[in-house]
Amino acid sequence: MIDLRSDVKTRPSAAMRAAMAAAEVGDDHMGEDPTVNELERRGAALLGQEATLFLPSATLANQIALRLHTRPGDELLGEDTSHVFISEQGGPAVHSGLVCRGLPGELGRITPEQVRAAMRPDRPHYAPRTRVLVVENTHNSAGGTVWPLEELREIVETARELGLALHLDGSRVCNAAVALGVPTADLAGPFDTVTLCLSKGLGCPMGALLAGPAELLVEGRRLKHQFGGATRQAGIVAAAGLYALDHNIARLAEDHANARRLGEGLAAAGVPVDLARVETNFVQIDVGPLGLGAAEAIARLAEAGVGVTGTIHPTVLRAVTHLDVTAEQIEQALQVMPGALGVGARAGAVA
Ligand SMILES: *Cc1c(COP(=O)(O)O)cnc(C)c1O
């Protein structure tokens, strides 16, 4: 199968596995794993932050960050289809007792005006304390969309002015940086805390980094244990992270080029694709106009040998490119996808 279901499907390459096998390890919980320590140093430099904490998953990184910034009863603001709101099992409510306030966004982005309007400065005796703003970049549910630099700068400035803590769910922030052609630190540095996922397009079997001020991450390390995420000889996995930082960031541009080729090829064949939304490694396909439901379309594509998934929109499918999908496989996918979706008569135009 040409697996376009998600960039979490990447498997560690032979070279990454060799790096893992050769890793020097120690007891990470006691700060004695040299490979974890090195990844934490390198990650901080990449993200333009003082320090990082190596964690098993990006979900855990987000949840620890939210706990660090809040007290129970505080309010969390963000775009309403953000991963922290719709894909973390209610974690902000469970782990930190937060009131979750999702604001309707455009391409995964909200405006400074929306954030300002969400504050309730005149009702301090009644209203929950609005405390933290989460920004997601790239934005998963919106289709891997990127915050333009100017909009990012404005939302950060607004949050600062309002006294809000700022967390970047930058699970795919390297995709955003590569798409914009700027250093990752430019996008991640202005935030108080940042999550980076290593097991998506960066190709690691697991792992994430939570970045922030060293002093704050002392408490973060305590929470890592309290949340059950402390690890021992984790250097064996951190070695994959170091390999990824060296080899798998710049090449994200290939995934983006493959997504663009897929999107343009599908559109040329008559498959409804919103090309304006293909900014990184996601292609969103609306099968509604083809008279198909998502489940049926997914089944037909699977039958044709192409794996895709549904999205939060009932008729929109998602195809995601990643380092285990070659440009040649994209051409193969283009040969079969239009036909599988019932627009086969025009599929010849693709080749
Ligand atoms: C995948 C993802 C996460 C969670 O990552 P895990 O490492 O699978 O827990 C968080 N935020 C966003 C935006 C994601 O896409």
Side-chain angles (χ1 to χ4, degrees), residues 42-49 52 173-174 184-186 188-189 194-196 209 211:
R42 294 273 314 276
L46 172 75
L47 296 168
Q49 294 276 343
T52 67
V173 69
C174 293
T184 304
D186 286 8
V194 180
T195 293
L196 172 70
L209 292 171

Side-chain angles (χ1 to χ4, degrees), residues 57-59 62 83 88 136 138 140 169 171-172 197 199-200:
S57 75
T59 298
N62 283 339
H83 197 278
E88 300 188 12
E136 193 173 306
T138 66
N140 187 337
D169 182 352
S171 285
R172 294 189 182 82
C197 187
S199 72
K200 301 253 165 79

